[in-house]
Amino acid sequence: MKLIKQFTIIFSIYSIADIFSKTLKLPIPGNVIGMILLFILLMLGIVKENHIDEASDILIANMSMLFIPGTLAIMDEYKYVKDEIIPFVIICVFMIVVIMAATGLSAQIFEKLLSKLRKHK
């Protein structure tokens, strides 16, 4: 029952953000807005870490399964990208490096901010 509650919280936040994004026709995807909203709710203490920890662990552990639909969609559209496959692969590899660097730098920045906040308490 606890997992159902945790998944309900996570998917409710995502759904609200997705509806918000589509209603206002924002150029930012709903899932990005959802992550920002979840981050804000966690920082404000409205949603506690223990409210979503087990469901989050399950989603992270099974993250590779979440990439299968996107990979299959790319394979299905191969006929449209086959003439440009080399630039496509170069862009994908470049973006992987950019995303890894941005994620690492963001994690370091947030870790420093959190350690400063903890020192001030």
Side-chain angles (χ1 to χ4, degrees), residues 53-67:
D53 60 350
E54 291 177 32
S56 299
D57 290 341
I58 290 171
L59 290 172
I60 290 171
N62 296 297
M63 189 181 296
S64 60
M65 293 295 288
L66 301 175
F67 286 98

PDB file of all heavy atoms in Angstrom, residues 53-67:
ATOM      1  N   ASP A  53      10.615   7.686  -1.417  1.00  0.00           N
ATOM      2  CA  ASP A  53      11.924   7.034  -1.530  1.00  0.00           C
ATOM      3  C   ASP A  53      11.880   5.645  -2.161  1.00  0.00           C
ATOM      4  O   ASP A  53      12.665   5.345  -3.055  1.00  0.00           O
ATOM      5  CB  ASP A  53      12.649   7.017  -0.188  1.00  0.00           C
ATOM      6  CG  ASP A  53      11.897   6.288   0.903  1.00  0.00           C
ATOM      7  OD1 ASP A  53      10.718   5.943   0.701  1.00  0.00           O
ATOM      8  OD2 ASP A  53      12.489   6.069   1.983  1.00  0.00           O
ATOM      9  N   GLU A  54      10.974   4.788  -1.731  1.00  0.00           N
ATOM     10  CA  GLU A  54      10.936   3.423  -2.261  1.00  0.00           C
ATOM     11  C   GLU A  54      10.513   3.402  -3.724  1.00  0.00           C
ATOM     12  O   GLU A  54      11.096   2.672  -4.535  1.00  0.00           O
ATOM     13  CB  GLU A  54      10.014   2.548  -1.419  1.00  0.00           C
ATOM     14  CG  GLU A  54      10.558   2.263  -0.030  1.00  0.00           C
ATOM     15  CD  GLU A  54       9.593   1.442   0.811  1.00  0.00           C
ATOM     16  OE1 GLU A  54       8.855   0.618   0.235  1.00  0.00           O
ATOM     17  OE2 GLU A  54       9.595   1.624   2.035  1.00  0.00           O
ATOM     18  N   ALA A  55       9.516   4.191  -4.081  1.00  0.00           N
ATOM     19  CA  ALA A  55       9.070   4.250  -5.473  1.00  0.00           C
ATOM     20  C   ALA A  55      10.170   4.829  -6.355  1.00  0.00           C
ATOM     21  O   ALA A  55      10.391   4.353  -7.478  1.00  0.00           O
ATOM     22  CB  ALA A  55       7.798   5.085  -5.590  1.00  0.00           C
ATOM     23  N   SER A  56      10.879   5.825  -5.853  1.00  0.00           N
ATOM     24  CA  SER A  56      11.994   6.410  -6.610  1.00  0.00           C
ATOM     25  C   SER A  56      13.090   5.383  -6.838  1.00  0.00           C
ATOM     26  O   SER A  56      13.656   5.304  -7.932  1.00  0.00           O
ATOM     27  CB  SER A  56      12.571   7.610  -5.863  1.00  0.00           C
ATOM     28  OG  SER A  56      11.611   8.608  -5.706  1.00  0.00           O
ATOM     29  N   ASP A  57      13.388   4.597  -5.819  1.00  0.00           N
ATOM     30  CA  ASP A  57      14.409   3.556  -5.953  1.00  0.00           C
ATOM     31  C   ASP A  57      14.014   2.530  -7.016  1.00  0.00           C
ATOM     32  O   ASP A  57      14.851   2.084  -7.803  1.00  0.00           O
ATOM     33  CB  ASP A  57      14.649   2.854  -4.618  1.00  0.00           C
ATOM     34  CG  ASP A  57      15.354   3.743  -3.600  1.00  0.00           C
ATOM     35  OD1 ASP A  57      15.971   4.756  -4.008  1.00  0.00           O
ATOM     36  OD2 ASP A  57      15.286   3.425  -2.391  1.00  0.00           O
ATOM     37  N   ILE A  58      12.750   2.177  -7.054  1.00  0.00           N
ATOM     38  CA  ILE A  58      12.270   1.223  -8.060  1.00  0.00           C
ATOM     39  C   ILE A  58      12.405   1.818  -9.455  1.00  0.00           C
ATOM     40  O   ILE A  58      12.863   1.153 -10.388  1.00  0.00           O
ATOM     41  CB  ILE A  58      10.807   0.814  -7.771  1.00  0.00           C
ATOM     42  CG1 ILE A  58      10.757  -0.060  -6.520  1.00  0.00           C
ATOM     43  CG2 ILE A  58      10.188   0.095  -8.964  1.00  0.00           C
ATOM     44  CD1 ILE A  58       9.358  -0.346  -6.013  1.00  0.00           C
ATOM     45  N   LEU A  59      12.016   3.086  -9.612  1.00  0.00           N
ATOM     46  CA  LEU A  59      12.118   3.729 -10.924  1.00  0.00           C
ATOM     47  C   LEU A  59      13.571   3.840 -11.377  1.00  0.00           C
ATOM     48  O   LEU A  59      13.884   3.596 -12.545  1.00  0.00           O
ATOM     49  CB  LEU A  59      11.458   5.106 -10.893  1.00  0.00           C
ATOM     50  CG  LEU A  59       9.939   5.106 -10.781  1.00  0.00           C
ATOM     51  CD1 LEU A  59       9.423   6.523 -10.557  1.00  0.00           C
ATOM     52  CD2 LEU A  59       9.311   4.504 -12.021  1.00  0.00           C
ATOM     53  N   ILE A  60      14.462   4.176 -10.464  1.00  0.00           N
ATOM     54  CA  ILE A  60      15.878   4.294 -10.818  1.00  0.00           C
ATOM     55  C   ILE A  60      16.459   2.924 -11.169  1.00  0.00           C
ATOM     56  O   ILE A  60      17.218   2.786 -12.133  1.00  0.00           O
ATOM     57  CB  ILE A  60      16.667   4.971  -9.686  1.00  0.00           C
ATOM     58  CG1 ILE A  60      16.275   6.442  -9.603  1.00  0.00           C
ATOM     59  CG2 ILE A  60      18.172   4.825  -9.898  1.00  0.00           C
ATOM     60  CD1 ILE A  60      16.810   7.167  -8.389  1.00  0.00           C
ATOM     61  N   ALA A  61      16.100   1.912 -10.400  1.00  0.00           N
ATOM     62  CA  ALA A  61      16.619   0.563 -10.659  1.00  0.00           C
ATOM     63  C   ALA A  61      16.159   0.028 -12.015  1.00  0.00           C
ATOM     64  O   ALA A  61      16.852  -0.765 -12.644  1.00  0.00           O
ATOM     65  CB  ALA A  61      16.188  -0.385  -9.549  1.00  0.00           C
ATOM     66  N   ASN A  62      15.006   0.468 -12.468  1.00  0.00           N
ATOM     67  CA  ASN A  62      14.451  -0.011 -13.735  1.00  0.00           C
ATOM     68  C   ASN A  62      14.505   1.045 -14.830  1.00  0.00           C
ATOM     69  O   ASN A  62      13.746   0.982 -15.805  1.00  0.00           O
ATOM     70  CB  ASN A  62      13.016  -0.487 -13.527  1.00  0.00           C
ATOM     71  CG  ASN A  62      12.958  -1.677 -12.604  1.00  0.00           C
ATOM     72  OD1 ASN A  62      13.500  -2.728 -12.922  1.00  0.00           O
ATOM     73  ND2 ASN A  62      12.341  -1.514 -11.454  1.00  0.00           N
ATOM     74  N   MET A  63      15.389   2.002 -14.685  1.00  0.00           N
ATOM     75  CA  MET A  63      15.461   3.107 -15.633  1.00  0.00           C
ATOM     76  C   MET A  63      15.740   2.636 -17.061  1.00  0.00           C
ATOM     77  O   MET A  63      15.210   3.194 -18.022  1.00  0.00           O
ATOM     78  CB  MET A  63      16.527   4.112 -15.202  1.00  0.00           C
ATOM     79  CG  MET A  63      16.512   5.382 -16.020  1.00  0.00           C
ATOM     80  SD  MET A  63      17.771   6.549 -15.538  1.00  0.00           S
ATOM     81  CE  MET A  63      17.281   6.947 -13.883  1.00  0.00           C
ATOM     82  N   SER A  64      16.560   1.611 -17.196  1.00  0.00           N
ATOM     83  CA  SER A  64      16.880   1.138 -18.551  1.00  0.00           C
ATOM     84  C   SER A  64      15.623   0.684 -19.292  1.00  0.00           C
ATOM     85  O   SER A  64      15.528   0.849 -20.509  1.00  0.00           O
ATOM     86  CB  SER A  64      17.904   0.017 -18.498  1.00  0.00           C
ATOM     87  OG  SER A  64      17.401  -1.069 -17.749  1.00  0.00           O
ATOM     88  N   MET A  65      14.659   0.145 -18.570  1.00  0.00           N
ATOM     89  CA  MET A  65      13.401  -0.277 -19.198  1.00  0.00           C
ATOM     90  C   MET A  65      12.623   0.920 -19.743  1.00  0.00           C
ATOM     91  O   MET A  65      11.873   0.787 -20.708  1.00  0.00           O
ATOM     92  CB  MET A  65      12.530  -1.033 -18.193  1.00  0.00           C
ATOM     93  CG  MET A  65      13.096  -2.357 -17.751  1.00  0.00           C
ATOM     94  SD  MET A  65      13.201  -3.541 -19.099  1.00  0.00           S
ATOM     95  CE  MET A  65      11.485  -3.916 -19.315  1.00  0.00           C
ATOM     96  N   LEU A  66      12.817   2.092 -19.147  1.00  0.00           N
ATOM     97  CA  LEU A  66      12.087   3.277 -19.583  1.00  0.00           C
ATOM     98  C   LEU A  66      12.633   3.832 -20.900  1.00  0.00           C
ATOM     99  O   LEU A  66      11.968   4.626 -21.558  1.00  0.00           O
ATOM    100  CB  LEU A  66      12.131   4.351 -18.491  1.00  0.00           C
ATOM    101  CG  LEU A  66      11.549   3.931 -17.141  1.00  0.00           C
ATOM    102  CD1 LEU A  66      11.760   5.019 -16.101  1.00  0.00           C
ATOM    103  CD2 LEU A  66      10.079   3.592 -17.262  1.00  0.00           C
ATOM    104  N   PHE A  67      13.833   3.406 -21.297  1.00  0.00           N
ATOM    105  CA  PHE A  67      14.416   3.867 -22.550  1.00  0.00           C
ATOM    106  C   PHE A  67      14.034   2.994 -23.735  1.00  0.00           C
ATOM    107  O   PHE A  67      14.264   3.377 -24.886  1.00  0.00           O
ATOM    108  CB  PHE A  67      15.946   3.938 -22.438  1.00  0.00           C
ATOM    109  CG  PHE A  67      16.424   5.096 -21.627  1.00  0.00           C
ATOM    110  CD1 PHE A  67      16.764   4.932 -20.297  1.00  0.00           C
ATOM    111  CD2 PHE A  67      16.511   6.357 -22.184  1.00  0.00           C
ATOM    112  CE1 PHE A  67      17.200   6.002 -19.540  1.00  0.00           C
ATOM    113  CE2 PHE A  67      16.942   7.442 -21.442  1.00  0.00           C
ATOM    114  CZ  PHE A  67      17.289   7.254 -20.115  1.00  0.00           C
TER     115      PHE A  67
END
